[in-house]
Amino acid sequence: MAKEGYTGPLENIGCCCHRIPKSYKPGMRVPGHIYATDKLLESIRKDQAADQVANVATLPGIQVASIAMPDIHWGYGFCIGGVCATDPDEGGVISPGGVGYDINCGVRLVKTNLFLDDVKHHIKELVKALFYTIPSGAGRTGKYKFDTTETRRLMGEGPKFVIARGLGVARDLDHTEANGLIDGGDPHQVSDHAVKRGAEQCGTLGSGNHFLEVQVVDSVFDAEVAKAFGLELNQICVMIHSGSRGLGYQVCDDALATFRNCPQKYGFELPDRQLACAPADSPEGRKYIAQMRAAANYGFCNRQLLMHQAREVFAQVFGRSWDDLGMEQLYDVAHNIAKFEEHTVEGKKKKVWVHRKGATRAFPAGHPEVPEAFRAVGQPVIIPGDMGRASWVLVGSQGAMEKTFGTTCHGAGRAMSRTAALKDGVGRKIERELEHKGVIAMASSRNGLAEEQPKAYKNVDDVVEAVHEADLSRRVARMRPLGVIKG
DNA sequence: ATGTTC
C-alpha cells in the first residue's frame, strides 16, 4: 500500500534548513527543522517522514526543534534520520521509537596500509573469504558463543571484555565512540529473552542494510583532516555496518510494551501510538535507559568481533599479520542511540536526552568527547552509502553543535520501499550489474540484494552535499566500494 | 532493523 506524501508547509529558512511551523499540527511544542537541498526535498515529500517530524515536535520536554537530516525516510513512529533532544527537568521523555529497533546500529572504519594496486587482483578471493568467515543474514549465529552470564558481563564492560580474550587490542577502544562503553548501562535489567537472543549472535552481520565492505579512498576533500585521520588517495579500508542484532531488537520490543500505558499514567497525549515514551526520570524511563545503554555496549562488541574476523581474513589472504597490514581502527560511531549530553540551549548550558535515530554524532574540534588523536580537527563521522556508489568520511563541525545538538546524517536514506525494490529486481542479475560497476558482492539472500540495490537509495553524495552546505559536518574523503558482503 | 506476522 503506497503511503501518501507530505503536502504540508516547508519554509526555507536558509542554510539548507526548512521549517515546519508550530501551527502545522495541534500540540507541536517546537517547530520542525528539516535539513535538505531542494533536490532532496522532492524525495522527502514522497513519504510521511515530514509528518513524523511534526509528530515528534509534540513530545513533552522537547528542546528547540524536532530535527531531521537530508537522508530522512519513514520509520516506526519517528522518521529515520531524526534528532530529538528532551530536557528531563521539563518532563522530557525517552522513547524507544526515537532510538530505533536496532539499538546502536552504527559503523566502524578500519584502515589498512594496502593500496588499490595491492588488492585489485585479490578482490574476489578476499570477498569470498570474508563471506565464508563472517556469518550474515537474519537469525544467524556466530562462532563466539557466550553463555548468558558472559553476555551480561560483555554488556556491562563493552569491547574491553572481548579484547581481554584476545579479540582486539586496547587501542581499538580509544577509537570508539564513548570508548565502547556507555556509562549507566545495566545488563541485569535486560530481559533473559533478550540476553538469550544475543548470546550466540555477537560477531554476526545481520541482514537488511548491514554490510561489510572493502573500499578504496576515491577522493580526498580535506587534505589536512585526511592526514590527521590517516587516510590517503587509493588506500584500502574496511567498513563495517551492523548493530545489536536480536538483543537490541528485543530490548526495544520489551520497552515498547512497558511504555504503552505511560502517556495515560504521566498525563500527556501522543498523535501516534508508535511514539510510545515515558519521562526520562520515571521508573519506566530509567529502566529503558539502563537496558538501552547495555544493548549499545553489545553493539560495540558486535562490531569489535566483526572487525577481528576481518583482520583474520586479511591476514590469511595476504599472508601477513593484520598488524603488519596496518589494520588500525579509524573510528566507530553509533547512529541509533539516545545520549545524555550537555548542550547550549538558548544561551544556557543544560543536559538533554539527544535521541539520534539514523543520525550520527558529529562533535567539532576541541570537544572533550572527541578522542585525543582527533581533538585538533574534530570527530570522524562515518557515512555508509549504497553498495554500488560510495560511502563517506566526514568530520564534525561547530555548526552541528549550534543547530542540531552535534548531529549529522547517517547514510544515503532509502528512496524506494523494500517491496518496490524487490519487485524492481525480479529477473535481474544484480551481482552481475554490480560486477560491471567494479564491485564484487556476495549476499546470503537474493531478495536482500534486490532490496539493497543502489537505486533503492538516494545518492549519498547528495546527502553529504546537504550536510556540508549546512555546516553539520565537512567532507573529508569519499570511499568507493570494491567488495561487499551482505545479509 | 527483526528467529522479517507472539
Side-chain angles (χ1 to χ4, degrees), chain A residues 94-374:
Chain A
I94 189 91
S95 177
V99 170
Y101 265 93
D102 189 7
I103 296 164
N104 191 8
C105 184
V107 204
R108 179 175 295 213
L109 190 70
V110 190
K111 300 180 281 185
T112 75
N113 57 22
L114 299 168
F115 288 85
L116 186 55
D117 284 344
D118 302 321
V119 306
K120 66 182 176 194
H121 300 300
H122 304 282
I123 293 295
K124 270 193 182 161
E125 182 192 357
L126 197 51
V127 170
K128 219 181 221 178
L130 288 164
F131 184 74
Y132 289 116
T133 302
I134 297 174
S136 65
R140 280 292 294 277
T141 56
K143 67 172 171 181
Y144 306 106
K145 301 199 193 302
F146 301 104
D147 63 26
T148 52
T149 306
E150 289 171 318
T151 304
R152 283 203 161 90
R153 273 193 65 192
L154 173 152
M155 284 189 278
E157 297 177 28
K160 191 169 53 140
F161 178 85
V162 296
I163 287 169
R165 282 159 172 69
L167 307 169
V169 289
R171 62 184 183 276
D172 297 337
L173 297 172
D174 303 333
H175 289 221
T176 303
E177 181 169 326
N179 298 110
L181 184 61
I182 313 282
D183 287 334
D186 185 355
H188 298 288
Q189 297 203 48
V190 175
S191 70
D192 290 344
H193 186 197
V195 175
K196 274 194 191 118
R197 286 185 70 173
E200 296 193 329
Q201 287 191 322
C202 210
T204 65
L205 198 54
S207 64
N209 63 2
H210 290 165
F211 66 70
L212 186 146
E213 283 186 2
V214 179
Q215 304 175 340
V216 59
V217 177
D218 183 56
S219 2
V220 170
F221 287 78
D222 186 322
E224 186 203 333
V225 179
K227 191 167 181 224
F229 288 176
L231 294 176
E232 57 184 301
L233 197 64
N234 291 328
Q235 184 182 357
I236 300 299
C237 294
V238 178
M239 187 175 281
I240 297 163
H241 180 198
S242 188
S244 54
R245 311 287 287 107
L247 186 145
Y249 179 97
Q250 195 59 45
V251 165
C252 180
D253 220 36
D254 291 346
L256 286 169
T258 308
F259 282 14
R260 197 164 297 144
N261 301 318
C262 282
Q264 196 184 8
K265 178 174 175 186
Y266 293 104
F268 55 86
E269 278 185 42
L270 298 173
D272 179 352
R273 289 178 59 148
Q274 295 187 349
L275 296 173
C277 57
D281 279 344
S282 65
E284 295 88 347
R286 278 192 290 270
K287 183 170 183 185
Y288 169 67
I289 288 163
Q291 296 170 325
M292 182 262 300
R293 285 167 157 170
N297 295 337
Y298 177 98
F300 290 127
C301 290
N302 187 33
R303 291 194 290 277
Q304 179 72 36
L305 294 183
L306 289 166
M307 174 174 72
H308 181 71
Q309 292 170 92
R311 281 170 165 172
E312 288 185 330
V313 169
F314 268 70
Q316 177 205 319
V317 169
F318 291 98
R320 291 158 62 190
S321 71
W322 67 258
D323 198 23
D324 193 40
L325 292 166
M327 295 187 76
E328 294 297 319
Q329 180 174 330
L330 171 66
Y331 203 53
D332 179 306
V333 284
H335 56 221
N336 275 16
I337 198 163
K339 291 273 205 62
F340 197 42
E341 293 172 351
E342 185 178 87
H343 286 276
T344 304
V345 178
E346 284 148 10
K348 226 174 79 185
K349 278 190 177 170
K350 49 164 88 174
K351 286 199 85 171
V352 290
W353 277 103
V354 184
H355 298 68
R356 297 189 179 95
K357 180 190 191 178
T360 314
R361 199 185 73 172
F363 284 171
H367 194 289
E369 284 197 50
V370 176
E372 227 173 272
F374 313 126

Side-chain angles (χ1 to χ4, degrees), chain A residues 427-440:
Chain A
R428 285 168 47 205
K429 290 197 162 53
I430 293 168
E431 295 99 322
R432 283 282 174 75
E433 293 173 17
L434 286 166
E435 197 168 343
H436 283 304
K437 292 184 183 188
V439 184
I440 302 300

Side-chain angles (χ1 to χ4, degrees), chain A residues 19-25 27-33 53-59 61-67 83-85 90 346:
Chain A
R19 178 169 57 202
I20 303 174
K22 275 167 67 174
S23 56
Y24 173 58
K25 260 189 195 181
M28 284 176 72
R29 297 166 195 258
V30 292
H33 285 173
V53 173
N55 289 343
V56 168
T58 68
L59 293 182
I62 187 167
Q63 303 292 299
V64 185
S66 168
I67 299 165
V83 186
C84 161
E90 296 176 20
E346 284 148 10

